[in-house]
Amino acid sequence: MFEALTDAKPDAILALMASFREDTRDNKLDLGVGIYKDEKGGTPVMRSIKAAEKALHESQNTKAYVSPTGDALFREAMVKQVFGDAGPTDRIACVQAVGGSGALRIVGDLLRKASPAATVHISDPSWPNHVPLLGATGLALGTYPYFDSASGSVDIEGMLGYLNALPKGDIVVLHGCCHNPTGADLTEEQWLKVADVVEARGLFPLVDLAYQGFGDGLDEDAAAVRMLAARVPEMAVAASCSKNFGIYRERVGAAMLLAPDAAQAARALANISSVVRANYSMPPDHGANATRMIFADEKLYADWRVELEAMRLRMLTLRQSFADHMRKRSNSDRFDAIAEQKGMFSRLPLSSAEITSLRVDHAVYLVGDGRINVAGLPDDPERMAELCDAIATVMNAS
Ligand code: LMR
């Protein structure tokens, strides 16, 4: 059986994680995988999650199955968090999912079932797993221009031009906030232009919302989703709790489907439940249950908001510090945009030889396309200066 298999290409981010683990140098620096790191370089369990887990441990008296759709209160709270208090809840179907990736996959499978001839369009560049994940649904893939590396901002004309030529019913994957890997987000004005095209051409937006709360704030980061929801008859959102609740390994997310009316939302829910049942039957409970307890408890919720805001603000400070250091070290404004970009990632304007040299000669790990995890940047000014020296050194050498 297995002799028929050809070698599988390793995922760029997972391969980088593995080589970082194997590196024995004391001064190694991980700017690779997207997990939040604190000033000590660790990813501790958040206070609010610890407290919720403790309460859960004491109160839980069964581990019986949940259901393919997951916990009802968790889903309700997630819909509110994403679509806001005034969201069109009667038109929204939501199921708990196995992380944001699981949400993307079940939405993708459902869309393939609903519209097998549609093409799903992904930004260039995008999270490296978008292509294999959505490609595995059987939907055809396309890529739309997104990033202008010279300015470090969105190539809005290129993007709009591409979207304007798409046939009705095609699916467009949009990063709701904190674009991965560039950190270049659409401005409010640009979102409105994208919404105009999506509406005029009858495209289906699939919003990947993996970093809500890491950009401009919890509600601010959902503004684009809410604006789209007020304008389009149908859309989907794949939301993740991995980053904003720091529960990466618990695999908690939500797949949300906005339908034209309540009857179609109910049908969409029944269909996505079948997709779940045929795939992994039911979602895991622990992380979603802890998250639900935070949503349900005023004090825990307030504490979680404080923790989330501290992470967001720390990443902003690191962005500014890195851009300032790089301006001095490189004697150029090439890195200035990093201070303006949003969320956990930015893409350094480096060649692949420079990125390799950073890893091999300086023990600095970043993804092969130049993506850095901003939260992995050192707070310590000396370490930051060392990092920026290393970057300037590899740039000067080439
Ligand atoms: C990332 O982009 O680094 C994260 O979303 C983790 C992953 O699964 O790739």
Side-chain angles (χ1 to χ4, degrees):
M1 177 66 75
F2 302 128
E3 74 274 8
L5 297 174
T6 52
D7 286 342
K9 207 165 154 249
D11 175 273
I13 295 172
L14 301 189
L16 192 76
M17 278 169 82
S19 44
F20 181 80
R21 268 197 300 265
E22 280 160 21
D23 191 327
T24 52
R25 288 173 286 184
D26 289 338
N27 64 339
K28 64 181 179 176
L29 183 66
D30 181 14
L31 302 179
V33 67
I35 49 170
Y36 180 80
K37 293 188 188 161
D38 65 9
E39 57 289 343
K40 295 193 188 96
T43 310
V45 181
M46 289 168 81
R47 270 192 316 271
S48 46
I49 284 287
K50 270 269 182 218
E53 285 183 315
K54 194 159 170 249
L56 180 58
H57 178 72
E58 276 153 19
S59 63
Q60 192 170 51
N61 48 25
T62 182
K63 294 278 187 192
Y65 289 124
V66 280
S67 74
T69 52
D71 184 287
L73 294 175
F74 166 80
R75 292 186 280 134
E76 203 181 293
M78 285 297 288
V79 167
K80 196 168 150 205
Q81 175 164 289
V82 171
F83 289 90
D85 290 334
T89 33
D90 55 323
R91 288 169 46 213
I92 298 171
C94 174
V95 297
Q96 188 181 314
V98 184
S101 303
L104 278 171
R105 181 57 200 263
I106 57 175
V107 169
D109 283 343
L110 180 79
L111 295 178
R112 158 88 181 169
K113 206 169 151 190
S115 182
T119 297
V120 54
H121 303 270
I122 296 167
S123 66
D124 176 20
S126 200
W127 178 47
N129 202 25
H130 272 151
V131 167
L133 194 158
L134 290 165
T137 65
L139 285 163
L141 298 180
T143 47
Y144 60 86
Y146 184 79
F147 188 53
D148 172 34
S149 49
S151 66
S153 57
V154 178
D155 170 13
I156 187 67
E157 293 313 321
M159 178 177 178
L160 293 174
Y162 182 98
L163 297 184
N164 244 320
L166 294 182
K168 184 171 167 25
D170 265 10
I171 302 152
V172 185
V173 177
L174 298 163
H175 298 224
C177 65
C178 310
H179 185 264
N180 181 3
T182 66
D185 280 354
L186 292 158
T187 62
E188 201 181 327
E189 202 193 343
Q190 290 171 339
W191 270 113
L192 291 173
K193 289 185 180 165
V194 168
D196 287 343
V197 178
V198 162
E199 221 184 343
R201 300 212 59 87
L203 305 176
F204 183 96
L206 163 50
V207 181
D208 187 346
L209 194 62
Y211 297 89
Q212 190 181 355
F214 273 23
D216 290 325
L218 201 61
D219 283 313
E220 292 81 349
D221 289 350
V225 167
R226 294 175 192 178
M227 180 275 295
L228 281 169
R231 295 189 46 179
V232 299
E234 299 181 302
M235 67 185 282
V237 179
S240 171
C241 299
S242 298
K243 331 280 169 169
N244 51 14
F245 284 90
I247 45 176
Y248 308 86
R249 65 175 63 171
E250 302 298 350
R251 313 308 299 138
V252 185
M256 302 175 194
L257 310 165
L258 175 72
D261 56 43
Q264 289 193 53
R267 195 175 318 132
L269 182 67
N271 272 276
I272 202 164
S273 302
S274 307
V275 169
V276 169
R277 180 68 171 149
N279 191 329
Y280 49 86
S281 185
M282 326 248 176
D285 171 69
H286 178 82
N289 210 336
T291 309
R292 174 191 60 79
M293 291 182 95
I294 294 176
F295 283 129
D297 181 311
E298 228 173 271
K299 263 174 78 181
L300 276 184
Y301 183 73
D303 196 31
W304 170 68
R305 293 288 297 260
V306 168
E307 291 181 282
L308 177 61
E309 187 61 1
M311 296 197 281
R312 186 180 82 81
L313 294 177
R314 181 164 164 275
M315 288 188 283
L316 283 181
T317 309
L318 289 168
R319 284 186 173 282
Q320 191 62 57
S321 159
F322 180 73
D324 291 345
H325 274 83
M326 282 313 301
R327 173 173 267 272
K328 286 191 209 121
R329 291 295 185 291
S330 67
N331 218 0
S332 78
D333 57 7
R334 271 176 76 186
F335 294 83
D336 282 11
I338 289 167
E340 309 306 323
Q341 291 161 350
K342 301 283 163 66
M344 194 168 225
F345 305 115
S346 275
R347 209 183 204 195
L348 302 189
L350 299 175
S351 68
S352 86
E354 290 163 345
I355 292 160
T356 305
S357 170
L358 275 174
R359 188 176 67 250
V360 174
D361 305 320
H362 301 274
V364 176
Y365 284 72
L366 44 146
V367 184
D369 63 356
R371 188 190 85 170
I372 56 163
N373 171 5
V374 171
L377 290 168
D379 295 72
D380 175 38
E382 256 176 55
R383 285 278 280 153
M384 181 68 97
E386 263 170 46
L387 166 67
C388 296
D389 280 342
I391 296 172
T393 306
V394 300
M395 282 165 59
N396 290 336
S398 55

